[in-house]
Amino acid sequence: MANPTITDREFNQFRNLIYDIAGITLSDAKKLLVSSRLVKRLLHHGLSNYGDYFRILQDCRFAGELQIAVDLLTTNETYFFREPKHFDFIREQVLAQHSTGRPLRAWSAACSSGEEAYTLAMVMADTLSGGAWEILASDISTRMLDRARSGHYALERIDGISREHLRRYCLKGIGSQQGTLLIDRRLRERVCFEHINLNEPLPQVGLFDIILLRNVMIYFDSDTKNQVLGRLCPALRPGGYFIVSHTENLNGLNHPLQSVKPSIYRKPPNSKN
């Protein structure tokens, strides 16, 4: 049997759903993407059209299915040491100047499958040595979080990791695990992965010296960007740094942050917001 075809009306239903839940805006060009990502769930439930699947998602008895749909409709693309100048800045300008007795805290606020969080962990372990530091890594996708917690990756995913970091922080698989690597337990235990939807009120997560929200804002409209910044900025410690991707900026948005350099912002040390 041929795969079902998604109608414009059905596409708009899913487009509105993912916007309401995650704040993600899907253009008309994403119609094929939506149908291709969800078609297996239609087949799984023995459904002949996307409208019936949408009705399942509206049924509170299928809350688990709604999370599956959200996982499938969110984009999860990342890799180790992505946009390396950010990590150079963190190493040279943030970590090197951290001298207080409290732990330095960083938040990878859209961590996907964990590469960004573990990159941060490697940089912190290098620079702070035996010092106290903590990393919170969060995502809206429970599927990605499960993968991230494992710290287990295919070798083709590690091109950005230096030989020294591979030697110090990664275990190469042998036997049945050949072709993979595992992030060393010492780093895995320093990263806390949590399911957090940035489009909803945040749980109590404390204050952070660094918040990374990279390659996420490009999926939000202006209203959603302002709402997300309104939630995240209070979690940034005065004097702390907020980092977006090199293709993003916070121009024209409501926030208390000051630009340090392209894609890097700082909360004023005397800020009360």
Side-chain angles (χ1 to χ4, degrees), residues 217-238:
M217 303 280 267
I218 54 174
Y219 299 106
F220 296 156
D221 61 19
S222 294
D223 287 343
T224 303
K225 289 177 182 178
N226 281 320
Q227 291 170 20
V228 169
L229 286 172
R231 297 183 186 103
L232 291 181
C233 286
L236 186 65
R237 192 181 301 277

Side-chain angles (χ1 to χ4, degrees), residues 2 4 29 37 48 52 59 64 85 95 117 144 146 178 182 184 190-191 193 198 214 225 231 251 267 270:
R37 290 191 177 181
S48 60
D52 287 343
D59 190 328
K85 288 185 178 179
L95 304 185
M144 287 294 107
D146 288 342
Q178 188 171 0
L182 181 67
D184 190 279
R190 301 291 290 269
V191 183
F193 290 98
L198 302 178
R214 306 190 304 165
K225 289 177 182 178
R231 297 183 186 103
N251 296 344
K267 192 172 189 178
N270 59 353

Side-chain angles (χ1 to χ4, degrees), residues 125-226:
D126 280 345
T127 309
L128 300 179
S129 186
W133 53 271
E134 302 170 3
I135 295 175
L136 170 65
S138 67
D139 203 86
I140 193 173
S141 170
T142 56
R143 177 172 56 96
M144 287 294 107
L145 288 169
D146 288 342
R147 185 181 303 177
R149 288 188 188 96
S150 74
H152 192 207
Y153 299 94
L155 286 179
E156 57 261 27
R157 302 278 301 169
I158 65 167
D159 288 345
I161 307 179
S162 70
R163 289 187 177 182
E164 180 62 17
H165 284 131
L166 287 172
R167 184 187 67 80
R168 296 181 66 182
Y169 304 120
C170 304
L171 304 173
K172 189 175 181 180
I174 59 174
S176 63
Q177 299 301 323
Q178 188 171 0
T180 69
L181 70 75
L182 181 67
I183 302 298
D184 190 279
R185 179 183 296 177
R186 293 170 298 166
L187 291 192
R188 298 201 314 271
E189 291 179 344
R190 301 291 290 269
V191 183
C192 175
F193 290 98
E194 291 191 20
H195 179 239
I196 295 177
N197 183 353
L198 302 178
N199 203 42
E200 296 178 348
L202 300 179
Q204 294 296 319
V205 293
L207 293 176
F208 296 88
D209 301 279
I210 308 166
I211 295 178
L212 287 88
L213 186 67
R214 306 190 304 165
N215 301 289
V216 177
M217 303 280 267
I218 54 174
Y219 299 106
F220 296 156
D221 61 19
S222 294
D223 287 343
T224 303
K225 289 177 182 178
N226 281 320

